[in-house]
Amino acid sequence: QLQAYGGGLVQAGGSLRLSCAASGRAFSSAVMGWFRQVPGKEREFVVAITSSGVRKSYADSVKGRFSISRDNAKNTVYLQMNNLKPEDTAVYYCAAKIVKTIYYTSTKADDFDYWGQGTLVTVSS
């Protein structure tokens, strides 16, 4: 089970940190991702991190502004979002996929097996 939290209302240029807490013992074997979705649009890839944390993938729209990290001891993945823009407004979902290799990563929502409930991020202009 995944529980995402940390969303809220922030002004453009501001920062937020999202967290996603996972239950179970398989977290350290899971690639973790963040996706976002606005009404009427498909879920969009934001960022992913391999199970070991050695490799990270970012959408071009967030490179240089967002940063993903994980703490396997706490079963938690974080998304630090800086210099937020109104177009970042969306419901943010964390996702997980149990993998056998520490190098596996994906940018496709369909590749992930487990999803959190989403947390709303609203960026005002």
Side-chain angles (χ1 to χ4, degrees), residues 28-82:
S28 60
S29 298
V31 60
M32 300 297 297
W34 287 96
F35 293 77
R36 64 188 182 186
Q37 190 170 24
V38 298
K41 292 190 176 182
E42 291 187 357
R43 197 163 291 191
E44 174 189 27
F45 169 75
V46 177
V47 61
I49 186 169
T50 54
S51 60
S52 63
V54 297
R55 188 174 294 174
K56 305 170 185 178
S57 303
Y58 292 91
D60 288 342
S61 58
V62 306
K63 278 181 182 177
R65 300 188 298 120
F66 290 13
S67 177
I68 189 171
S69 61
R70 65 188 297 158
D71 185 338
N72 285 351
K74 295 183 178 180
N75 279 16
T76 302
V77 63
Y78 306 98
L79 179 62
Q80 178 66 42
M81 305 185 294
N82 299 326

Side-chain angles (χ1 to χ4, degrees), residues 6-18 36-39 66 81 83-92 118-125:
L9 174 64
V10 63
Q11 287 188 333
S15 298
L16 279 176
R17 187 174 84 155
L18 305 184
R36 64 188 182 186
Q37 190 170 24
V38 298
F66 290 13
M81 305 185 294
N83 190 21
L84 282 160
K85 303 176 180 181
E87 52 262 44
D88 294 319
T89 295
V91 176
Y92 283 72
T119 184
L120 177 62
V121 172
T122 304
V123 184
S124 64
S125 57

